[in-house]
Every structure is written in C-alpha cells, then in structure tokens.
Amino acid sequence: REEEERLRNKIRADHEKALEEAKEKLKKSRDEIQAEIQTEKNKVVQELKKKDSKPLPPVPLPNLIGINSGEPSDPDIREKRNKIKEMMKHAWDNYRQYGWGHNELKPIARKGHSTNIFGNSQMGATIVDALDTLYIMGLHDEFREGQEWIDKNLDFSVNSEVSVFEVNIRFIGGLLAAYYLSGQEVFKIKAVQLAGKLLPAFNTPTGIPWAMVNLKSGVGRNWGWASAGSSILAEFGTLHMEFVHLSYLTGDPVYYNKVMHIRKLLQKMDRPNGLYPNYLNPRTGRWGQHHTSVGGLGDSFYEYLLKAWLMSDKMDTEARKMYDDAIEAIEKHLIRKSNGGLTFIGEWKNGHLERKMGHLTCFAGGMFALGADGSRDDKAGHYLQLGAEIAHTCHESYDRTTLKLGPEAFKFDGGVEAVAVRQNEKYYILRPEVIETYWYMWRFTHDPKYRQWGWEATQAIDKYCRVSGGFSGVKDVYSSSPTYDDVQQSFFLAETLKYLYLLFSNDDLLPLDNWVFNTEAHPLPVLHLANTTLSGNPAYR
Ligand code: DMJ
C-alpha cells in the first residue's frame, strides 16, 4: 500500500512539474522554442558522434603476409601488369574528376551515378570498393586521397535505405581489407560504425535479416520482387566472413552470433533434393519458391561456406561439411555436359533444369578449384578438373561473341551452345566472375592458357569498354558497334581489375594460404584464432 501511495504521489508531482514547464515554454516566443529544440538536437548528435567514434579495443593483427610483393621478372608479364595498372588509374582518375563522392561514375555523361542498392545518399561506393586494389597496385597517393575522403565525409547517420548484402560486401569488406593492408585505424572504426547500423536488419521473427535497412531508423524490409516476401539466400548467406572479422576486431560477439544463428537455422531445415532454395521467408522461416541457382540469388552463399572454413584456418569443419553436402547436390542435379561437350551449371526451377548459365555462375570454376584441397573422399583432382571445365565453358561464352566479352547469360539448348539468345541477356557490365575463375585456376595449375585468356579479356575491355571518361558496360556483345550503358560499376575497380592484376603478378602477392577474398574480392586474413591472445602477439601493432 505504502509503496503504491508513494508511486502515485511521484506521478502526480511529475505531471505537475511537466505542466509548469509547458506553461513556461508557452511564454517563450516561437523562435526561442525552436532554438531550444535545435540545441537539444545538436546535443544528441554530438553524443551519438562521441559514442560512434570511441576507440576500439586493441587486438593482435594476424600475420599479414605478401601485401607488397608480386613483381614478375618476365618483362612481357610485367608490361601486361603495368597496362592493367594504367587501366585502374584511368578508371580512378575519371571517377575522381567527375564522380567524386558519388557511388559510381557515368563515364560518358561524366557525372555521378547510383542505384537503389546504395540508398539515396552519396556514400562514395567506388572509393571504398577501390581502396585495396589501389593499395596492392602501389597507387599510394590515390589511396591516401580515398582515405581522406572517408575520414572526412563517410557518414552513416543518413536517412537512407540500403541493401544489407551490398553494403556488407562492398563497404564493410572494403573497409576491413583497407584496414588490414594499411593498418589505418579509420577504416576499422568506420567498418564497425557501419556494421552497427546494419544490425537492426536482423530484428525479424526468425533472425534471418531483411534485404534492406534504413540506416537511420533501422526499419527493414524485403525486395518487392522476391518470392512471397522472402529474403535471398545469396544475401543473408553472404555475411559470415565480414561478421566474424568484426567480432574479432571488436571483441564483441554480437556479429558472430548473428551469422551463426543463420547457419544453425539453415542446418535444421529440410532441403528439396539436398538443394538450398534461393528464397526464405524471414517471418515464417519457410522456403519460398523452389529455385536453386549457383548464379544470381544463390552464388556467394556456397562461396562463403567454403571461405568460412578457409578463413578459420580450416577449423570450422561444420562450414566445410555444409559446403561439401551442397556441392554434391549441385553436381547431381544442376551440372551437365552439353551436346558439344561443354560442362555447364544450370538452374533448378520447380523440379525442372533450365539449361542456362549466368555470367555470375562462372565464379564457380574458381570456387571448385579453391575447395579441391580438403574435399570429401579426397576428390581434389575431380574438383580441380571441374573448375577447369567451367573455366573453359565460360571462356567459350566470351570467344563466341563479336567483342570477345561474355554475355550476362547463355544457353545450352537445341543447337545453341554457350551463346545468349534473348536480347536482354547480351550485355556485359564489366563483371569479374570469368576473370576471377581464370585467376584461381592460374594459381592452382600455372597453365599459361589462363593468362592468355585473361589477356584476351583485358584487351577486349580496353578496346570496347574504354571511353575517355572511364570504362563503361556494353549493351550487346554480339554487335560490332555496341552501345554503352554509361555505368562504371564499382566492382570493376574492386574485382575485375584486381583479379587481372593478380593474374599477372607472382603468387607471393596475397598468397591464398594467408588471405581469403570476400565475394567482392576484398582480401581478409586467415584468423588463427586458436593461437591468438590479446597480448604478447608479435603481429600486434
Ligand atoms: C559483385 O558485387 C560480387 O561479386 C557479387 O558477389 C556478385 N555480383 C557482383 C559482380 O558481378
């Protein structure tokens, strides 16, 4: 009773106080009230800024090997490598001049460009995506310019709805890689600030994140086009590498727990024919349409299972098992040989195999090669061979065009072999996947044909995609006078040019025993977590 009476009195007193304050406020002029509100707002912003930029606890850095090497001794290879560096400089300089601070560049209109994946604010996607490529190419002035922009301008307290997946792979991945390569704290701090803004996307009934989140309000939602309000496998399944690093660098398990929760949930679910459908509803935890793809909507989920294992210094055997199971089902149901003898990976659509392969799917050649070592039943030779066959098929898709650049998707139906049929599948938008596979195959076999194929692609890009204001995608690779799409994609600087440069570098530049590339080609070091302690590690700096 006494307690109740005390509470009632307190509430009464609070109300009276609030009334008094309101009366006082009403005596003030409109301008005075507005000024007070503004002061309050400023205080909150300052507080938030302080909170956001508090120093992170120091952790030992992993052994960072091979970040400044790779100079080939063969003059011909060196010349090719220099040419690729020159292309990077052309792409960067034009972005610097005409698109600085915007997400991407329109190289013909010579102005900034953006798409809805980056929301509606200028987040300098090209700067963040390009940093590590600039670094390994030794373009240090450009790297510093990028760092300065990020330090002064990259701000995540914006009312902007972004793709969780894209921001993770391009921004968090790009910032983390720049941090590890350069040791500059600003990149780590920005990566952690941004990750904090993505966390509300996980507030769903199942913990499967929304595809998009508003960085300011934290409100999330899914793409309107996705089956039955679903989240996308390749999006919520491509967070693991970056989130493990975030927990490592901050000592905060929250990021690790989020991605492990996704994994556990997927492990428990039935899979039709052992295949993972591309769509999962975050409210009900049920699969959407039964579509399975190793290209768009599925691709990097499989890649991250393998890379989670590699990144853990092969300790995360649970991820390796999930990868092996998934790949076995894919081989059984999706991989076929065409009449002409080309191995391709089709798409599974409601019990039917569509004999079509996307440019995006071509990354799988490299993935099979990367996963060969450590494969179940010691099938290393088999997976290396599979990687080589996919590389060959994807090279054919380039070679059978007029421009010697690959179409977005190609068929293996009737008399058609590795050729695009529909007009809206004939474009090339500076994508990296085929070159990515050449590079992995080169690292594992040193067969000179991969450098030759990589050089063919370099020359074709330089001839048909280069314009005076940068590089542009083309709308039809079968036309001898193609039209431009007028977009210089940020992944052209992050991935395409980086993989080409690595293809013409020695293997001691970013060796694969020490580095694992995220799906946007941002290298992250292997974490020998079992061997690290917070102090006394020689790699600490
Ligand atoms: C990149 O952003 C990444 O490679 C992603 O995994 C797939 N698509 C683009 C490049 O094509």
Side-chain angles (χ1 to χ4, degrees):
R1 274 266 154 83
E2 254 173 43
E3 178 63 0
E4 264 177 31
E5 188 54 29
R6 200 185 60 76
L7 269 176
R8 227 174 278 133
N9 285 341
K10 183 174 180 322
I11 292 169
R12 216 174 287 132
D14 284 351
H15 274 181
E16 267 159 26
K17 195 168 157 229
L19 260 176
E20 275 312 303
E21 278 174 6
K23 271 192 215 153
E24 277 304 300
K25 270 235 157 87
L26 283 173
K27 282 188 208 149
K28 291 182 184 164
S29 75
R30 201 190 163 89
D31 286 350
E32 273 175 313
I33 295 173
Q34 255 166 5
E36 270 181 21
I37 294 173
Q38 197 49 49
T39 317
E40 273 308 305
K41 273 190 182 169
N42 290 347
K43 240 201 255 160
V44 173
V45 170
Q46 286 315 320
E47 281 306 309
L48 277 177
K49 275 207 173 138
K50 251 193 252 158
K51 205 170 115 218
D52 272 358
S53 58
K54 72 170 183 270
L56 296 167
V59 292
L61 278 188
N63 221 353
L64 303 173
I65 291 171
I67 57 177
N68 289 310
S69 20
E71 175 88 21
S73 52
D74 179 337
D76 174 52
I77 302 298
R78 223 175 23 232
E79 201 181 305
K80 288 180 169 134
R81 192 169 99 132
N82 283 338
K83 171 66 196 170
I84 294 154
K85 182 169 167 180
E86 182 277 325
M87 287 165 74
M88 178 71 183
K89 188 126 171 59
H90 182 68
W92 174 266
D93 286 348
N94 279 290
Y95 167 76
R96 173 85 188 80
Q97 189 169 354
Y98 303 114
W100 196 235
H102 289 265
N103 288 316
E104 292 176 316
L105 167 71
K106 280 172 113 34
I108 295 170
R110 298 184 186 222
K111 58 181 194 185
H113 168 81
S114 198
T115 62
N116 61 346
I117 59 174
F118 303 119
N120 56 13
S121 66
Q122 293 186 21
M123 305 227 306
T126 296
I127 302 177
V128 183
D129 235 3
L131 281 173
D132 51 11
T133 309
L134 294 171
Y135 190 93
I136 63 164
M137 289 183 174
L139 292 167
H140 294 304
D141 290 343
E142 289 78 0
F143 181 90
R144 264 190 298 277
E145 276 179 327
Q147 176 175 344
E148 215 177 286
W149 186 89
I150 287 171
D151 197 11
K152 294 211 180 106
N153 303 291
L154 189 54
D155 175 21
F156 309 115
S157 305
V158 283
N159 181 10
S160 179
E161 192 180 50
V162 301
S163 154
V164 175
F165 158 77
E166 298 288 357
V167 164
N168 177 57
I169 66 168
R170 301 192 200 209
F171 285 80
I172 297 191
L175 289 166
L176 290 177
Y179 167 66
Y180 283 118
L181 292 175
S182 69
Q184 298 294 312
E185 285 284 315
V186 58
F187 299 125
K188 177 168 81 169
I189 291 170
K190 294 281 177 183
V192 176
Q193 284 174 2
L194 178 54
K197 303 276 177 193
L198 296 187
L199 286 180
F202 291 80
N203 295 336
T204 64
T206 56
I208 294 289
W210 299 115
M212 284 173 281
V213 70
N214 183 304
L215 292 177
K216 192 163 215 158
S217 67
V219 174
R221 69 181 174 106
N222 273 345
W223 305 110
W225 49 263
S227 157
S230 291
S231 301
I232 308 291
L233 183 69
E235 298 198 328
F236 64 78
T238 309
L239 303 167
H240 193 97
M241 294 179 67
E242 297 79 3
F243 275 47
V244 168
H245 271 278
L246 287 164
S247 278
Y248 170 71
L249 290 173
T250 58
D252 184 345
V254 63
Y255 309 101
Y256 177 79
N257 290 341
K258 297 281 181 214
V259 288
M260 283 312 277
H261 177 80
I262 298 176
R263 181 192 287 180
K264 294 289 169 207
L265 196 137
L266 287 175
Q267 265 183 330
K268 273 194 265 159
M269 294 187 65
D270 280 339
R271 283 173 283 133
N273 292 314
L275 296 169
Y276 287 91
N278 291 335
Y279 300 106
L280 181 61
N281 188 315
R283 290 185 204 274
T284 62
R286 292 208 198 97
W287 297 120
Q289 269 174 311
H290 285 190
H291 288 185
T292 296
S293 162
V294 185
L297 309 183
D299 47 12
S300 41
F301 163 67
Y302 306 101
E303 177 185 352
Y304 269 37
L305 289 177
L306 174 65
K307 290 181 174 177
W309 174 69
L310 289 167
M311 207 183 78
S312 69
D313 200 18
K314 305 189 179 171
M315 304 291 277
D316 185 355
T317 48
E318 184 180 77
R320 176 76 216 204
K321 183 180 175 312
M322 286 174 78
Y323 171 78
D324 286 334
D325 290 344
I327 293 308
E328 273 175 26
I330 283 166
E331 216 181 333
K332 186 160 165 209
H333 297 288
L334 267 56
I335 302 189
R336 296 284 179 272
K337 244 194 180 92
S338 71
N339 294 339
L342 296 178
T343 303
F344 68 93
I345 312 178
E347 306 217 345
W348 191 255
K349 293 204 169 157
N350 300 321
H352 162 82
L353 181 72
E354 197 179 2
R355 296 169 67 88
K356 184 167 97 174
M357 186 163 170
H359 192 288
L360 289 165
T361 321
C362 286
F363 91 98
M367 179 178 73
F368 292 141
L370 185 64
D373 202 8
S375 60
R376 192 178 282 164
D377 305 326
D378 199 17
K379 284 166 70 181
H382 168 77
Y383 285 113
L384 200 57
Q385 172 64 20
L386 190 56
E389 288 175 22
I390 298 298
H392 173 63
T393 300
C394 293
H395 175 250
E396 286 301 305
S397 80
Y398 274 50
D399 206 41
R400 295 175 189 199
T401 69
T402 310
L403 304 188
K404 305 292 173 201
L405 290 168
E408 179 69 3
F410 41 97
K411 289 224 154 164
F412 299 86
D413 239 350
V416 176
E417 296 256 336
V419 172
V421 176
R422 290 162 58 163
Q423 191 54 39
N424 65 359
E425 293 173 343
K426 294 183 178 173
Y427 59 88
Y428 172 68
I429 55 167
L430 305 169
R431 284 199 193 279
E433 292 77 17
V434 175
I435 292 163
E436 174 180 350
T437 278
Y438 294 163
W439 173 62
Y440 279 108
M441 290 310 302
W442 164 256
R443 278 272 170 113
F444 291 113
T445 67
H446 286 158
D447 184 332
K449 78 176 172 212
Y450 296 115
R451 276 190 167 165
Q452 188 197 315
W453 293 352
W455 188 241
E456 283 169 13
T458 310
Q459 285 177 302
I461 291 172
D462 204 46
K463 186 160 174 196
Y464 298 112
C465 301
R466 187 181 183 125
V467 293
S468 56
F471 288 87
S472 165
V474 288
K475 290 188 182 160
D476 184 350
V477 289
Y478 300 95
S479 156
S480 50
S481 50
T483 42
Y484 298 114
D485 70 0
D486 199 11
V487 181
Q488 179 175 284
Q489 306 275 350
S490 78
F491 54 67
F492 179 62
L493 294 89
E495 299 193 70
T496 313
L497 291 171
K498 184 187 286 128
Y499 286 130
L500 281 172
Y501 187 78
L502 288 169
L503 180 61
F504 292 96
S505 297
N506 292 344
D507 295 358
D508 58 355
L509 180 56
L510 299 175
L512 287 171
D513 284 340
N514 304 85
W515 296 89
V516 186
F517 289 72
N518 90 339
T519 194
E520 188 79 1
H522 296 306
L524 300 176
V526 169
L527 293 177
H528 305 271
L529 286 179
N531 303 327
T532 44
T533 54
L534 278 181
S535 58
N537 186 307
Y540 174 79
R541 53 175 190 188

